[in-house]
Amino acid sequence: MTSTGAYELQSLNSFGVSAKAERLVAISDKNQLPQLQFQPQQDLILGGGSNLLLVEDVPGTVFQVRLTGRQLTRESDTRTRVTLGAGENWHAVVRWTLAQGLSGLENLSLIPGLVGAAPIQNIGAYGVELAESLVEVHVWDWQQQRERTLDRDACDFSYRDSRFKSAEPGRFLITALTLRLQHHFTPRLRYAGLAQALQETSKNPDAPSALEVSDAVIRLRREKLPDPAQLGNAGSFFKNPVLEAARAEALAAQHPELPLYASQEGHYKTSAAWLIERCGWKGFRAGDAGVSAQHALVLVNYGRASGAELAQLAARIRADVWREFAIELEPEPRILPPLAPLT
Ligand SMILES: Cc1cc2nc3c(=O)[nH]c(=O)nc-3n(C[C@H](O)[C@H](O)[C@H](O)COP(=O)(O)OP(=O)(O)OC[C@H]3O[C@@H](n4cnc5c(N)ncnc54)[C@H](O)[C@@H]3O)c2cc1C
């Protein structure tokens, strides 16, 4: 399907901001790909639009990924490979795998969006990242005009990042993922709030089922995060900053309440929400653009905010955190065009 002429994207992004595209092309069959051209400067690949802030119109074509398919291949008595089309809904797939008796994705329940976007920022929640289950990413390489399969190492996954997001944005259209899931469930309850929630809901909180973990994650997320269908948002707007140990220790001496979590060797992760709240932004509202009163990391559209107003708000928050803590907050969603660098 191709639609041309100022196509409105408001219902296709979870912030619910108005922006237009010159053309909209739905990709529902891989055979369409060899006939298509992608120009990264002016075109956009769109999944569920839940990690995106459209500040301006898209001057070129929006490619809407609608490739479906769910395939199971038993590897052994303990593991099964699952290949999923990029246009499948992520949460529906998580619940479907659980219904097949397969575990591994339960902590990632209720993350909005489509399967194809999951590797872009290596989606993560409740102490688990996509990369832990991922075997291969199947792509269309616009540069080489051919299908390719990239194994996990080739994707350069790290915290909310990957080759697709940082090193080579715009080079690949992800067509499918292959994941490896488990027949025997080992709960991952590193995130304290999850273990606590299971104490209240699980029949056997020390050995919960994968479905119980998924249900608990869903309940926690519904309590904490605004539903984009009710209040426009893109989840966490900034990544949690990762600091070198010496810098983290110096900051902790100045701000003893600063939350610090050991991350990769010699580094600590701190809480972007804490930094933003300390700068007084939690619950702020200017017109229809605001910061959630429940969660300082979530920027919200109360109705008719424009992408530009939300981007301005993000830039002000970032400048304040920089002034106060000399920490540069990095946005998590794709912002089109990106925020100007801090000066
Ligand atoms: C309420 C809420 C809660 C959230 N919670 C989390 C969370 O806990 N953890 C987390 O990691 N994220 C979270 N997110 C962010 C978001 O849901 C994820 O990043 C999700 O993977 C985005 O999927 P999407 O299909 O909506 O991507 P889109 O917003 O459509 O696209 C995001 C980026 O990926 C690119 N892209 C999309 N599909 C493809 C493809 N097939 N091939 C190549 N490029 C592609 C787009 O061009 C864009 O750059 C949350 C968002 C919301 C609104």
Side-chain angles (χ1 to χ4, degrees):
M1 181 199 80
T2 304
S3 311
T4 50
Y7 197 91
E8 177 56 68
L9 302 171
Q10 190 163 26
S11 65
L12 301 180
N13 71 93
S14 66
F15 262 125
V17 297
S18 172
K20 292 188 168 53
E22 197 47 42
R23 267 177 310 282
L24 187 78
V25 175
I27 301 173
S28 48
D29 184 336
K30 278 196 298 183
N31 292 324
Q32 289 170 259
L33 291 165
Q35 278 90 54
L36 299 173
Q37 300 287 327
F38 181 74
Q39 292 170 288
Q41 302 313 320
Q42 56 177 63
D43 299 335
L44 172 69
I45 298 169
L46 186 68
S50 66
N51 210 22
L52 194 65
L53 177 58
L54 296 165
V55 181
E56 293 176 1
D57 291 341
V58 178
T61 304
V62 166
F63 293 101
Q64 213 177 6
V65 182
R66 295 227 180 117
L67 300 163
T68 53
R70 301 173 181 188
Q71 195 190 327
L72 299 174
T73 313
R74 194 181 169 92
E75 265 188 344
S76 70
D77 286 349
T78 57
R79 308 190 310 194
T80 287
R81 282 187 182 216
V82 186
T83 298
L84 303 163
E88 294 281 343
N89 175 279
W90 174 258
H91 176 64
V93 154
V94 170
R95 295 296 287 189
W96 173 75
T97 59
L98 293 167
Q100 308 299 312
L102 298 171
S103 58
L105 303 181
E106 53 289 332
N107 293 44
L108 304 178
S109 298
L110 211 63
I111 296 181
L114 306 187
V115 161
I120 303 287
Q121 70 158 8
N122 180 23
I123 56 169
Y126 296 95
V128 171
E129 292 183 340
L130 173 79
E132 293 167 47
S133 311
L134 191 127
V135 181
E136 291 166 343
V137 178
H138 308 278
V139 299
W140 176 257
D141 184 341
W142 296 108
Q143 222 171 65
Q144 299 181 359
Q145 286 286 313
R146 67 179 178 104
E147 283 188 62
R148 292 176 60 191
T149 294
L150 306 177
D151 66 17
R152 179 170 51 186
D153 287 348
C155 299
D156 288 339
F157 288 122
S158 60
Y159 163 62
R160 298 296 185 277
D161 205 2
S162 72
R163 171 181 185 175
F164 310 107
K165 188 170 181 181
S166 295
E168 295 185 286
R171 174 164 175 184
F172 304 107
L173 182 139
I174 294 171
T175 55
L177 308 184
T178 300
L179 309 176
R180 178 176 286 124
L181 301 180
Q182 312 300 323
H183 301 178
H184 304 295
F185 178 52
T186 312
R188 286 165 296 175
L189 306 176
R190 286 182 288 258
Y191 182 87
L194 183 53
Q196 214 174 320
L198 284 158
Q199 291 294 332
E200 291 160 27
T201 53
S202 170
K203 290 192 200 101
N204 184 0
D206 296 327
S209 70
L211 198 58
E212 283 176 327
V213 172
S214 172
D215 288 343
V217 166
I218 292 171
R219 195 164 66 92
L220 285 172
R221 292 182 69 97
R222 288 204 170 122
E223 277 165 20
K224 282 189 179 173
L225 289 166
D227 176 357
Q230 317 290 330
L231 191 62
N233 76 91
S236 301
F237 198 88
F238 294 102
K239 291 192 198 183
N240 286 321
V242 177
L243 308 170
E244 286 184 3
R247 170 100 187 82
E249 281 152 21
L251 268 170
Q254 277 178 287
H255 306 280
E257 328 79 77
L258 179 78
L260 289 174
Y261 313 94
S263 76
Q264 73 260 43
E265 202 170 314
H267 289 77
Y268 287 91
K269 205 185 264 181
T270 188
S271 156
W274 188 89
L275 299 169
I276 294 168
E277 191 170 346
R278 278 300 281 255
C279 290
W281 287 102
K282 192 173 178 183
F284 173 88
R285 179 170 177 174
D288 274 350
V291 179
S292 162
Q294 278 72 47
H295 201 318
L297 206 45
V298 181
L299 266 56
V300 291
N301 177 4
Y302 284 101
R304 291 166 172 254
S306 66
E309 286 168 326
L310 286 158
Q312 257 167 28
L313 176 58
R316 287 177 63 193
I317 293 171
R318 202 161 63 133
D320 257 13
V321 169
W322 174 250
R323 239 189 326 268
E324 192 63 27
F325 299 100
I327 293 177
E328 186 168 347
L329 289 182
E330 199 185 320
E332 197 177 291
R334 168 106 178 264
I335 306 176
L336 283 174
L339 297 184
L342 282 165
T343 47

